[in-house]
Amino acid sequence: MHLVIGLGPIGGNIGAHLAQLGQEVYGYDFNTERVREWSEEAASPAGSDLAALDWPSIDSVHVAVRLADQVSSVFTALQEHTARPLTVFVHTTLAPADAQRIMSSAPDNWRVFEAPVSGGPQGARQGSMTIFLAGPDTVPAEDRLLADISGRVFSMESYGQPALVKLLNNALATYNLAATARMLNLAAEHGVPAKGLFEVIGVSTGQSWMSDNLVDVQYDLLLKDVGLLRGELGSLPSADLDDDVEQAILQARALLGADPQV
């Protein structure tokens, strides 16, 4: 059985997807209404009492809460309820330093994977998420589980790296989102209908995943991740089109092994 702790947009959909695949899933959340709704939708048991679980039957634990302190509280609660070995996947997006601290605090008999995800609720529900993974070398059962819930896994060497990669990616996405929004506002300020520019962007060089999904994207989660990254690094690069833009483009091309002058 797979235990999913946190039945929000990511955890709830991971659990529902596993249940749809015919696997046994137990959903856990403090929110009793969320527990009821998820249990009905996934046709799987759920509750708010870890003491009620048959711990020897738990094959994996998936932690999908929102904040670092909540992940730490989950780790403490798990230790209070069972001393047996556990395989734990932490899907919460953490600051890199928090990821290193929390993952390293787990008992020696746990197999702990830092596993933040990209792809949103839809990717979680469809099993097509991207997972950024750090932890022990995976065994076949864990590989099968990861294949069930994701479309691609990027393995990394140490705790904290998955968090940093996801935060950098989401900061880039936020730059794209903010730039699109500002260009639309700028068009309107100068008498060009924003909807007209938006149609042009959708079929031209300004197009991006973020521009395509500007209306529906959960920007609050992106801004949360930007805040985590800024807190970790102290500051982020300016997105202004200043005199350093060309040098940044050439440097990035060189880092990717391309001819920077092409």
Side-chain angles (χ1 to χ4, degrees):
M1 177 180 287
H2 306 291
L3 169 61
V4 178
I5 297 179
L7 299 177
I10 300 300
N13 281 298
I14 289 174
H17 176 71
L18 287 170
Q20 190 175 24
L21 294 178
Q23 301 193 34
E24 290 185 276
V25 183
Y26 186 92
Y28 173 89
D29 200 291
F30 280 129
N31 187 319
T32 55
E33 182 64 18
R34 182 180 287 174
V35 164
R36 182 190 64 78
E37 292 176 354
W38 181 88
S39 183
E40 291 178 357
E41 179 185 358
S44 296
S48 301
D49 183 8
L50 292 177
L53 284 173
D54 176 23
W55 286 100
S57 70
I58 302 298
D59 298 310
S60 70
V61 180
H62 297 262
V63 181
V65 294
R66 187 177 178 91
L67 303 174
D69 288 348
Q70 293 171 329
V71 178
S72 295
S73 296
V74 168
F75 274 33
T76 299
L78 291 174
Q79 292 176 71
E80 289 174 351
H81 286 90
T82 182
R84 67 182 298 269
L86 292 176
T87 298
V88 181
F89 294 87
V90 178
H91 300 298
T92 302
T93 300
L94 301 166
D98 286 334
Q100 294 170 349
R101 173 180 58 82
I102 294 171
M103 306 303 150
S104 300
S105 73
D108 292 339
N109 65 342
W110 286 16
R111 293 177 56 79
V112 179
F113 295 91
E114 182 190 358
V117 303
S118 179
Q122 183 177 10
R125 185 53 182 263
Q126 295 175 348
S128 60
M129 303 182 300
T130 297
I131 292 182
F132 312 102
L133 190 74
D137 291 338
T138 54
V139 300
E142 292 161 350
D143 287 332
R144 289 192 295 271
L145 174 59
L146 289 167
D148 282 340
I149 66 174
S150 68
R152 185 164 186 181
V153 176
F154 287 94
S155 296
M156 299 173 191
E157 294 181 356
S158 60
Y159 295 136
Q161 289 184 350
L164 182 58
V165 167
K166 179 177 179 181
L167 293 177
L168 289 168
N169 181 67
N170 278 4
L172 174 59
T174 308
Y175 280 130
N176 291 339
L177 180 64
T180 301
R182 285 170 176 159
M183 291 304 109
L184 293 172
N185 291 332
L186 193 59
E189 290 172 11
H190 290 271
V192 174
K195 287 185 177 179
L197 174 59
F198 191 62
E199 291 179 4
V200 171
I201 291 172
V203 295
S204 303
T205 54
Q207 187 270 347
S208 68
W209 189 94
M210 276 295 157
S211 66
D212 289 347
N213 293 275
L214 182 146
V215 174
D216 299 316
V217 70
Q218 288 188 276
Y219 65 86
D220 57 325
L221 297 181
L222 291 173
L223 294 176
K224 166 185 170 286
D225 288 354
V226 168
L228 287 175
L229 185 61
R230 185 180 289 114
E232 185 79 15
L233 302 182
S235 64
L236 297 178
S238 170
D240 292 337
L241 298 178
D242 53 26
D243 293 339
D244 294 331
V245 167
E246 181 179 8
Q247 183 58 38
I249 294 170
L250 295 177
Q251 183 178 352
R253 287 183 172 184
L255 289 170
L256 295 174
D259 183 346
Q261 300 298 333
V262 172

